[in-house]
Amino acid sequence: MNTFQTLGLEAHLLQAVSDLGFETPSEVQQKAIPKLLKEENDLVALAQTGTGKTAAFGFPMLQKIDINSRTTQGLILSPTRELCLQITNELKLYGKYCKGLNVTAIYGGASITEQAKKVKRGAQIIVATPGRMKDMISRRLVDISKIDYAVLDEADEMLNMGFFEDIKSILSFTPDEKSTWLFSATMPKEVAVIAKKFMSSPIEITIGHKNIGSKNVSHEYYMVGSRDRYPALKRLADANPNIFAVVFCRTKRDTQKVAEKLIEDGYNAGSLHGDLSQNQRDLVMKSFRNKQIQMLVATDVAARGIDVEDITHVINYQLPDEIETYTHRSGRTGRAGKTGLSIVIITKSEQRRIKTIEKMIQKQFVKKEIPDGILICEIQLKALAHKINDTEINGEIDNYLEEIKTLFSNTTKEELIKKFFSVEFTRFFNYYNKAKNLNVPKGDTHFSQSDNSDNSARFFINIGKKDGYDWMQMKDFLRDSLGLSQGDVFKVDVKDSFSFFNTEISYMPKVLEFFNDFKLNGRYINVEITEKKDRSRQRRRGKQKHDGYGNRGKSGRGRSTRSSDFKHGTGSSRPRRNRRR
Ligand code: ADP
Ligand code: MG
């Protein structure tokens, strides 16, 4: 019963289905395809990401349009360029035996004349983002006055992105007699308004919780102090050496920052958000698909609908504002029959949101503990052992083997193994040796481990953006100059001509001493304390000149005595970036 053969599709489309390896139609396909084939109706279909919606509207549209005509007969609106391209590609695959089929994608950030040319060649189907579509209509580069079918794909997302007016305007250029098919994962008020306004007695289809992917996805959450999200993310990555993940943040800014930090800390990470140019986005996606990027940090909009197989983890670095978005996020993993894990990092106050999500997805979350440092070291060590065991021997080494053997002639096998492993392992061990417990203890609403450890000092330094530093370069410069390691310099805030940074209070003398009479390119560098937080000794010495968090009191050029011209370091003002992995 549940076969594509019973849906009413023509033979050449069934052949494409079979070429694609689709065995059984998904629920939304079973429900939508026969209806859309049989009658000219409007349709509202609610189904989550990954339920096969593209085929649900794509096959009926392909069957119903007149391939021999060059008139544009179908218009599909979709929220992002990525989705636009994805739908276009899918439709081309579905219609591979439709001779003369021309499906054209229209989206911002690419040449409008090129796109217009393709349309002019006779695109029977146009897949477009609302912004660019509107643009092309106003320049009379497309004609949608004769379309028979309009699809609003991911309608909730399009409205989320503020496309209501554009959609309204675009639809006003289409004939009243057309059929409108609306697909959405959720049914917020705005979508209902669209359905009411632009559709006449639509057929309604609702697909429950039978997301193709979701049954394969497990859900976990970790509770940490609000300032421990990032260290927690790192530990999760370190505890899963073969991770291939999308990390979701709420804002473009956080997305960029988390990605930058990860890269700085030596991970294969990249960011995907709306402020990147189209070209940058393409590059990031390419690296991600090739697995050169292991952790893609993304905003919801930018990652919506991205169909990359084998994603092992979806990490909610922050929960989304709209709870419905969670299903989209977790739908990025557990695809194509594989299992996946959706992880949420929360603070104590967000705990109730987990309950709300559980109700929505009708699945339980498992509360997990962020692994401690020793466990991570163990995991890394074992992963390394397996990696070495699986490594193919490179024959070139034979040429140097005698020399190497001589060097190790007095080393036992056991010693050699230990030394060999220490090369990689020591880095992890040093980092995690004294790592604190990041988990928020049960039953205490306000206590956070990180608050406890905020025995930090905040410093002012009179170099900034003007001197060619961004926060990452500043952090590197400080760490390298002071001989400190990862994480010892934090809260780096680079302004135009000065900056602020924090270190543990115990490094305070070291910092002050180092920068006492320090010259950079012939200029004295001035470093001063702006704030000290020491739980045990809550006192502040000296005049407070600026709080370092935006309010600057007096001039930063405080000290006046320069006893010598002694210079530390190389004097180069451009610090080098050092990558570890
Ligand atoms: P949605 O638009 O609902 O998020 P898509 O249409 O993008 O979902 O489909 C998700 C993935 O599932 C795509 O890779 C698609 O090729 C695949 N797919 C669609 N229908 C089927 C099917 N019946 N059987 C197997 N895979 C399918
Ligand atoms: Mg889709």
Side-chain angles (χ1 to χ4, degrees), residues 4 17 20-29 47-57 59 83 86-87 90 93-94 153-154 183 211-212 304-309 328 331-332 335-336:
F4 276 97
V17 166
L20 278 158
F22 293 0
E23 283 168 8
T24 45
S26 69
E27 196 180 344
V28 70
Q29 292 162 2
Q48 289 165 8
T49 304
T51 48
K53 293 190 287 288
T54 317
F57 63 76
F59 280 113
L83 281 175
Q86 216 167 283
I87 294 168
E90 287 267 314
L93 291 174
Y94 302 163
D153 192 28
E154 309 265 4
F183 289 82
N211 191 326
I212 288 176
R304 182 76 179 260
I306 282 172
D307 193 22
V308 175
E309 278 186 16
H328 292 299
R332 301 295 111 229
R335 294 172 89 86

Side-chain angles (χ1 to χ4, degrees), residues 421-439:
F421 276 84
S422 301
V423 174
E424 268 284 305
F425 181 66
T426 305
R427 185 168 56 87
F428 271 98
F429 183 75
N430 288 345
Y431 182 80
Y432 279 119
N433 186 19
K434 292 192 190 109
K436 61 183 181 173
N437 177 8
L438 294 180
N439 299 291

Side-chain angles (χ1 to χ4, degrees), residues 391-413:
T391 299
E392 268 183 47
I393 290 173
N394 185 330
E396 285 296 304
I397 288 172
D398 290 349
N399 301 329
Y400 314 97
L401 201 57
E402 281 313 310
E403 200 180 327
I404 296 172
K405 269 187 180 160
T406 318
L407 185 63
F408 291 107
S409 55
N410 293 325
T411 316
T412 65
K413 180 180 170 189

Side-chain angles (χ1 to χ4, degrees), residues 66-73 100-102 119 121-124:
D66 178 4
I67 295 289
N68 299 317
S69 159
R70 307 266 96 190
T71 311
T72 301
Q73 302 155 59
L101 174 68
N102 181 347
V119 171
R121 263 180 242 145
Q124 296 99 347

Side-chain angles (χ1 to χ4, degrees), residues 309-321:
E309 278 186 16
D310 300 337
I311 290 172
T312 57
H313 295 69
V314 163
I315 300 180
N316 293 262
Y317 185 78
Q318 295 146 335
L319 275 176
D321 289 329

